[in-house]
Amino acid sequence: MSALYVITSEKTKHINTISSCSSKKQGAYGKLKTHKESKLKQLMHIDEVFSAISLLYIHPLKSNLDSDFIKNTFNPSDLAFCDEILCKVSRSFAAVIRQLPPTLLVDVLIFYLVLRALDTVEDDMTFFQSNEEKVKILQSFHKTALVDPNWTMMGCGEGDERRLLQEFPKCHSVYAALPERSQRVICDITQRMATGMAEFVDKDLGQGTVDVQQYNRYCHFVAGLVGEGLSRLFSVSGLEQPSLATELHLSDQMGLFLQKTNIIRDYLEDYVDGRAFWPQSVWKKYSATGDLGYFANPTTEEARVAGLNCMNELVTDALELVPDCLSYLSKLRCSEVFRFCAIPQVMAIATLDKCYHNEDVFTGVVKIRKGMSCLLINNTTDVFGVHSIFNKFASKISKKAESVRKSGFKDPSYDRTIQACQTILELTDAEIQNGTSHGSLMKGTVVVASVAAGCLTYKSPMGASRSASLTTAALASLGIYSFFRMGFKKFIGTSSSSSLLPASKLCGD
């Protein structure tokens, strides 16, 4: 959760990566250095390049917003606003929402926007004259914003979040047209989340949460409840079994896994904001100064090592949630719902791999490559794909931990990290073995593409520039890889062994 962008004189010495450009997002978002790989290095990941092209132009996520059911149920202009503002406040989440079945899509879209509006109220640290006033607004949000069709809030938040609150009556119009069962779920979760947020308004989070228990409690209020709400919406839609609504623990863990990943990645941004969430019971074991900012832009080897040790422990804590997340996903039967739930989860495990033992987290913003995001989305269509992804990144983290240990780095969380990864590997190995032949042939196509690309590069005319040769190689690899990949998919039929069913085949249940 973003907060007021404030840097005290004590913190200023740590935050030398902040740019002077203005931002329309709240807090430090967009004001920190972003660590990016070079364009050439990104292009070297041929499978990711193809995935990006495939996702953008060949097999994009299908939007169901234009379905007759939606057109005939909701006010077109109000729904258009909701879709537009969703893209503005969360572009990554918009695509996975739009691919949901028509009977569920708008319910989830409005659920997200309502909670985003509530989050904007919580995040704004300057709009309210007192904490008491903010608490009052939060606790009454479900009785005002969700009841009064003309409710609006002017001047709270920044950029598109502010606009969301200013034009909230358009969201209310769509909310009011939802089935009553969906309205009850959204209202209940909104009330409980607001109550939890109000609990933290008066807490000084400049140095993070007090302990892991409070860390988990905060994550429960802002993310675990979202998981519960989604499970209930899935169930009342009829697309998932009624029993899914009772899986409170697993739903909570799904949310906690995503939230903890974001908190780990956003260390510097949250610290700059003066509202951080790393638990003191963890980071104080490593900070020589007793200050959370000790790890920011470290200037000594001691501080660098301490920061990595601290982060590795928090990454491990998040990894221990994975078994419950996989258990939750195994209970889903609708392919569109499965994909909606699984895509953020695979993004999270990839982000944890990126953060593990990566000191860039303490000097700026760390993100996975866009090409990798596209690859993950394309591969997240069934249990096999999801298990393969979790297996891959658990293996990478485990090997990384072993590598740094061999180099002489003494990580107090090493044994716990290895155990967490081993548990994930054991849970996913069975599914991976079932698809071994699939994986072997796909790897073979990459090898063939790489060899062909090398030949084409070698045969390039004398005097051709190195960049031209590299471009030729990349394009050749892409073309050959694409040919084999598409041909292979047509040959085996990737969804034949999946127990998931599209919404169209579940409607009669």
Side-chain angles (χ1 to χ4, degrees):
M1 300 297 167
S2 301
L4 175 63
Y5 173 50
V6 176
I7 307 176
T8 65
S9 57
E10 175 63 23
K11 293 179 183 178
T12 303
K13 59 186 178 183
H14 298 295
I15 316 302
N16 56 22
T17 59
I18 300 172
S19 67
S20 58
C21 65
S22 60
S23 172
K24 292 185 178 180
K25 296 289 186 179
Q26 292 182 199
Y29 186 94
K31 299 177 181 178
L32 299 176
K33 172 185 176 182
T34 299
H35 295 286
K36 294 182 179 180
E37 295 183 14
S38 68
K39 292 288 179 62
L40 179 59
K41 190 172 182 180
Q42 293 184 53
L43 288 172
M44 295 303 290
H45 297 272
I46 303 302
D47 54 344
E48 295 179 10
V49 174
F50 171 77
S51 291
I53 294 174
S54 176
L55 190 61
L56 288 173
Y57 304 109
I58 304 174
H59 297 295
L61 288 175
K62 177 187 175 184
S63 173
N64 290 314
L65 268 176
D66 292 330
S67 69
D68 291 337
F69 171 79
I70 291 178
K71 287 180 179 179
N72 296 331
T73 305
F74 305 98
N75 180 290
S77 69
D78 291 341
L79 183 60
F81 167 79
C82 292
D83 181 50
E84 177 201 350
I85 204 70
L86 173 68
C87 295
K88 295 292 181 62
V89 299
S90 181
R91 285 180 296 176
S92 59
F93 207 51
V96 292
I97 289 180
R98 288 202 194 104
Q99 63 87 47
L100 284 169
T103 54
L104 177 62
L105 190 163
V106 181
D107 308 58
V108 174
L109 188 157
I110 293 301
F111 182 45
Y112 181 87
L113 289 180
V114 168
L115 297 185
R116 191 58 182 257
L118 182 68
D119 179 64
T120 302
V121 172
E122 183 213 16
D123 278 354
D124 197 315
M125 304 296 287
T126 60
F127 178 74
F128 302 97
Q129 294 183 353
S130 66
N131 285 344
E132 290 75 16
E133 181 186 359
K134 176 186 281 192
V135 167
K136 183 179 179 180
I137 295 294
L138 287 171
Q139 293 180 334
S140 64
F141 193 86
H142 69 290
K143 294 185 292 187
T144 53
L146 299 184
V147 174
D148 182 358
N150 299 312
W151 181 90
T152 186
M153 181 174 285
M154 309 298 289
C156 181
E158 297 180 28
D160 294 310
E161 283 82 2
R162 174 178 292 197
R163 184 179 167 214
L164 171 61
L165 289 174
Q166 290 174 340
E167 300 185 49
F168 197 80
K170 296 177 182 178
C171 293
H172 185 279
S173 165
V174 180
Y175 167 80
L178 293 173
E180 287 189 13
R181 59 183 183 270
S182 295
Q183 290 186 42
R184 286 195 295 270
V185 172
I186 294 172
C187 183
D188 176 56
I189 296 298
T190 301
Q191 179 183 9
R192 291 162 60 194
M193 182 180 289
T195 299
M197 288 177 169
E199 179 182 314
F200 282 82
V201 167
D202 284 322
K203 296 186 185 300
D204 181 4
L205 294 174
Q207 294 294 310
T209 50
V210 174
D211 50 30
V212 174
Q213 182 179 1
Q214 189 181 78
Y215 176 49
N216 289 339
R217 185 170 176 79
Y218 177 79
C219 290
H220 163 72
F221 284 131
V222 301
L225 286 176
V226 179
E228 177 187 332
L230 288 172
S231 294
R232 290 166 61 185
L233 288 176
F234 300 157
S235 293
V236 299
S237 73
L239 294 171
E240 295 295 344
Q241 297 285 4
S243 59
L244 188 67
T246 66
E247 295 288 353
L248 302 183
H249 174 72
L250 295 183
S251 300
D252 186 69
Q253 299 297 82
M254 287 278 285
L256 261 65
F257 183 60
L258 302 182
Q259 187 66 22
K260 287 189 172 185
T261 298
N262 289 340
I263 287 174
I264 292 167
R265 180 199 63 198
D266 296 340
Y267 159 79
L268 191 59
E269 178 184 325
D270 290 339
Y271 177 69
V272 169
D273 280 343
R275 195 157 183 258
F277 304 97
W278 282 25
Q280 295 179 28
S281 59
V282 174
W283 67 256
K284 281 189 174 180
K285 293 188 294 185
Y286 305 103
S287 174
T289 63
D291 187 277
L292 181 57
Y294 176 70
F295 312 121
N297 293 308
T299 56
T300 67
E301 179 64 11
E302 180 185 20
R304 187 187 73 85
V305 169
L308 291 174
N309 281 334
C310 182
M311 180 167 55
N312 290 350
E313 180 173 343
L314 291 175
V315 168
T316 300
D317 171 72
L319 288 172
E320 290 171 343
L321 299 172
V322 169
D324 283 337
C325 296
L326 295 176
S327 178
Y328 179 92
L329 292 173
S330 72
K331 298 180 182 298
L332 301 176
R333 62 175 185 168
C334 176
S335 58
E336 295 95 331
V337 170
F338 177 87
R339 205 170 192 200
F340 169 82
C341 294
I343 288 174
Q345 298 290 317
V346 298
M347 296 292 185
I349 187 73
T351 300
L352 289 178
D353 169 61
K354 185 75 172 178
C355 290
Y356 184 81
H357 207 77
N358 184 356
E359 56 193 82
D360 286 347
V361 172
F362 303 108
T363 59
V365 179
V366 171
K367 294 182 178 180
I368 60 176
R369 294 184 299 273
K370 290 183 179 180
M372 178 180 287
S373 296
C374 295
L375 179 63
L376 294 176
I377 291 173
N378 284 339
N379 290 344
T380 306
T381 56
D382 53 26
V383 175
F384 168 78
V386 170
H387 279 224
S388 297
I389 292 169
F390 272 92
N391 188 284
K392 169 187 174 181
F393 287 109
S395 178
K396 287 184 66 177
I397 293 172
S398 179
K399 290 177 181 178
K400 209 180 297 184
E402 292 171 355
S403 176
V404 296
R405 185 180 180 87
K406 289 179 181 177
S407 69
F409 189 92
K410 297 181 179 179
D411 184 353
S413 302
Y414 171 79
D415 291 336
R416 187 179 163 194
T417 303
I418 295 297
Q419 181 57 56
C421 291
Q422 187 60 37
T423 299
I424 297 171
L425 293 173
E426 290 173 359
L427 287 172
T428 56
D429 272 343
E431 192 69 36
I432 301 304
Q433 290 171 3
N434 289 337
T436 298
S437 58
H438 175 151
S440 298
L441 184 52
M442 288 305 289
K443 288 178 181 178
T445 65
V446 177
V447 173
V448 171
S450 298
V451 172
C455 292
L456 286 172
T457 304
Y458 175 76
K459 292 180 181 180
S460 60
M462 292 298 291
S465 67
R466 181 172 179 270
S467 60
S469 297
L470 287 171
T471 301
T472 302
L475 291 175
S477 297
L478 176 59
I480 296 172
Y481 175 76
S482 302
F483 174 80
F484 277 94
R485 188 176 189 273
M486 289 187 289
F488 179 74
K489 280 193 169 184
K490 289 181 180 179
F491 176 72
I492 64 163
T494 53
S495 61
S496 59
S497 62
S498 176
S499 61
L500 298 169
L501 294 173
S504 58
K505 292 187 178 181
L506 295 169
C507 292
D509 284 13

